[in-house]
Amino acid sequence: EAGVAQSPRYKIIEKRQSVAFWCNPISGHATLYWYQQILGQGPKLLIQFQNNGVVDDSQLPKDRFSAERLKGVDSTLKIQPAKLEDSAVYLCASSQDGSPLHFGNGTRLTVT
Amino acid sequence: AQTVTQSQPEMSVQEAETVTLSCTYDTSENNYYLFWYKQPPSRQMILVIRQEAYKQQNATENRFSVNFQKAAKSFSLKISDSQLGDTAMYFCAFIFQGGSEKLVFGKGTKLTVNP
């Protein structure tokens, strides 16, 4: 089966600019997750979707981060405006009915 | 709230030897899963092994095995016959079944296998 696809692989932007990341989960996986992984730390959940509804976005900085999952398949995560502390790897994952999460390769964001 | 603690930021082992990575967790729940994920420099999180809390038998996956001590809330990973390709970050993770199914990670252990 095809894995979780993410793009872009790398992104460098200046602070106060905006950026968007895209994720295509494994076909049929109802649950989609966005994680933020700052260098030297474990991934932290930003938002979790079940189909196209939000299950948990308690750790999403909603003043600058937004995410959507139209039609319950692909998802985009946007940051506007970016701050230096947003530099991290953004991981997308998907799962189905409690199965282990499958992760994409992530997008490494550098904010200068 | 569930928390996962990995007390070893870095470890190293000689090729072909055995190494054990530690993990403890804190939860008041009874039904949950524990995982070990491997993250090589490619950044992709790769599932190494999974343990259901209701199972007393320790999970084993080829050279990887766990020592699951439910009462002590401990979940260590043993890697036997270490290979150079095992060099990576290893993350212990917890998920509570029945809630929002949010996977909570520890901070990771950087494992280096030396030739």
Side-chain angles (χ1 to χ4, degrees):
Chain A
E1 68 182 359
V4 176
Q6 286 189 250
S7 67
R9 190 102 166 99
Y10 303 91
K11 190 72 177 179
I12 301 174
I13 61 172
E14 295 181 352
K15 60 183 179 183
R16 291 188 289 274
Q17 287 186 325
S18 62
V19 64
F21 312 128
W22 173 82
C23 173
N24 179 237
I26 291 174
S27 178
H29 280 195
T31 309
L32 185 147
Y33 310 78
W34 283 102
Y35 281 84
Q36 180 193 57
Q37 186 179 18
I38 293 173
L39 184 64
Q41 298 183 19
K44 180 186 82 172
L45 180 69
L46 291 176
I47 189 167
Q48 177 184 346
F49 291 94
Q50 181 74 18
N51 295 310
N52 60 352
V54 176
V55 174
D56 186 345
D57 64 356
S58 57
Q59 297 194 84
L60 186 74
K62 298 180 185 63
D63 58 333
R64 298 183 301 104
F65 285 64
S66 65
E68 60 182 7
R69 191 183 184 196
L70 298 177
K71 301 180 181 179
V73 182
D74 292 6
S75 177
T76 55
L77 176 69
K78 297 179 181 178
I79 308 174
Q80 182 180 14
K83 292 185 176 181
L84 295 177
E85 59 260 35
D86 298 332
S87 294
V89 173
Y90 290 85
L91 294 165
C92 180
S94 69
S95 71
Q96 167 124 348
D97 295 335
S99 65
L101 274 65
H102 295 260
F103 286 83
N105 285 333
T107 296
R108 182 181 295 280
L109 173 67
T110 301
V111 183
T112 63
Chain B
Q2 289 86 15
T3 60
V4 177
T5 302
Q6 294 179 248
S7 59
Q8 304 151 314
E10 292 191 41
M11 292 193 72
S12 63
V13 64
Q14 291 299 120
E15 194 175 7
E17 293 188 345
T18 295
V19 64
T20 298
L21 308 183
S22 301
C23 173
T24 59
Y25 58 96
D26 186 24
T27 183
S28 57
E29 304 298 339
N30 201 43
N31 298 319
Y32 52 88
Y33 292 86
L34 293 160
F35 304 89
W36 278 98
Y37 278 89
K38 169 185 176 181
Q39 188 179 41
S42 67
R43 300 201 302 265
Q44 185 172 19
M45 284 283 192
I46 302 166
L47 179 65
V48 174
I49 199 164
R50 167 185 179 173
Q51 175 79 44
E52 291 88 345
Y54 64 85
K55 288 186 177 179
Q56 291 186 332
Q57 186 173 7
N58 289 323
T60 298
E61 195 71 42
N62 299 317
R63 297 183 295 108
F64 300 89
S65 62
V66 298
N67 183 3
F68 174 47
Q69 302 290 329
K70 191 172 183 179
K73 296 180 182 176
S74 171
F75 183 61
S76 60
L77 173 70
K78 185 171 82 171
I79 306 174
S80 303
D81 186 26
S82 297
Q83 300 176 0
L84 297 178
D86 295 335
T87 294
M89 284 291 293
Y90 285 81
F91 292 95
C92 179
F94 168 103
I95 191 167
F96 163 53
Q97 293 300 112
S100 66
E101 298 185 10
K102 180 172 68 177
L103 192 63
V104 178
F105 287 89
K107 289 188 174 182
T109 296
K110 183 179 180 182
L111 176 67
T112 302
V113 180
N114 299 309

